[in-house]
Amino acid sequence: MEHILDNPAYNALATGNENLAYGNQQVKYFDKEVSPFIGFEENTAANFSKGYDLITHNYPIVFISPVEVEMVGEWKMLQYIPCLQMIYHGDTIPVNTSHFVTLTDEHIPQMLELTKLTNPGPFLSRTIDFGHYRGIFDGDQLIAMAGQRMNPLPYAEISAVCTHPDYTGKGYAKQLLQYHINRVTAEGNIPFLHVKRDNTRAVKVYENMGFVNRKDMHFYVLAK
């Protein structure tokens, strides 16, 4: 039987992110301003073709597979990104959250600026709709943040973990990660994340915090 996390985007859109889902039973996807991810009930040529017909915009989309695949149908592959999928197997540890700020629509310009600078993964004008975004500020400047993205129940993906280059080494990312670990666990879910395979520094940080590698995952950036 396929593991839920082998098809994280589709299972998220069918469960925890159902409120953000477009498409049908065979193909599900997020609004282009929320997230580029698309998921297929089964990775068949017919479903790839259905997805091509359903997507009406020309923005890149992202397909995740537990195995390497050859693109089928009319899709053009723009980029291939090998990633690790990691699940949290550590303990909950108290963390001081008094300096955390709940991020809202007024913070979107700063969130976009920070993610553009640090490139933690796709972050768009309505990615905040996933919810649970928290940030750390120095005065009026957003210097670190993290939130939640895909929610294929009972798993919840911690995402957009980033720190301004001028503020690295102060433990802000670890504090935000631990907060989300505690929050997700308290909600009865299991924290997980994706990280680029060659980002050895981040992988080591996650391993030291209690994340373990579950599986190599393959991210394909596609376009019409």
Side-chain angles (χ1 to χ4, degrees):
M1 184 178 178
E2 183 184 72
H3 193 284
I4 289 170
L5 292 182
D6 283 349
N7 195 359
Y10 181 87
N11 288 321
L13 286 158
T15 59
N17 299 129
E18 186 178 12
N19 63 311
L20 299 174
Y22 291 83
N24 53 39
Q25 180 62 32
Q26 291 79 35
V27 183
K28 296 182 184 295
Y29 59 94
F30 295 99
D31 180 85
K32 66 181 185 297
E33 301 299 337
V34 174
S35 176
F37 289 102
I38 189 172
F40 306 100
E41 186 176 32
E42 295 181 24
N43 297 336
T44 63
N47 283 342
F48 270 85
S49 182
K50 288 177 182 177
Y52 191 91
D53 293 336
L54 282 171
I55 299 294
T56 58
H57 61 75
N58 292 317
Y59 293 85
I61 65 167
V62 181
F63 162 66
I64 308 171
S65 173
V67 296
E68 292 189 61
V69 300
E70 294 183 7
M71 291 301 100
V72 295
E74 305 91 334
W75 292 105
K76 175 183 179 181
M77 186 169 75
L78 301 179
Q79 188 179 8
Y80 163 67
I81 308 171
C83 290
L84 301 179
Q85 186 183 80
M86 307 182 77
I87 300 180
Y88 189 72
H89 283 283
D91 299 319
T92 56
I93 301 171
V95 60
N96 177 20
T97 62
S98 62
H99 55 308
F100 289 4
V101 175
T102 299
L103 300 178
T104 62
D105 283 6
E106 68 177 296
H107 301 115
I108 289 175
Q110 289 194 67
M111 297 169 79
L112 291 170
E113 182 179 352
L114 182 60
T115 52
K116 183 178 181 180
L117 180 66
T118 56
N119 193 28
F123 196 91
L124 306 169
S125 62
R126 295 308 313 173
T127 301
I128 195 172
D129 290 351
F130 281 111
H132 304 293
Y133 279 92
R134 299 293 184 274
I136 297 174
F137 285 78
D138 181 8
D140 294 331
Q141 181 183 6
L142 177 65
I143 60 174
M145 75 172 198
Q148 180 174 306
R149 189 167 61 183
M150 289 182 283
N151 191 194
L153 295 172
Y155 297 90
E157 182 192 28
I158 300 172
S159 183
V161 183
C162 53
T163 304
H164 191 286
D166 292 344
Y167 293 86
T168 57
K170 300 180 183 296
Y172 294 145
K174 287 184 179 180
Q175 293 171 29
L176 289 161
L177 269 168
Q178 193 62 57
Y179 162 77
H180 284 292
I181 287 167
N182 297 347
R183 176 188 59 77
V184 169
T185 302
E187 292 171 356
N189 293 323
I190 303 168
F192 80 106
L193 54 78
H194 291 105
V195 58
K196 291 180 181 178
R197 194 185 300 164
D198 61 1
N199 191 350
T200 53
R201 180 179 177 275
V203 170
K204 182 59 66 176
V205 169
Y206 297 145
E207 288 175 340
N208 289 341
M209 291 193 67
F211 284 88
V212 298
N213 184 34
R214 176 187 169 264
K215 199 167 194 174
D216 286 357
M217 298 294 283
H218 309 273
F219 284 54
Y220 296 92
V221 183
L222 312 176
K224 286 195 152 189

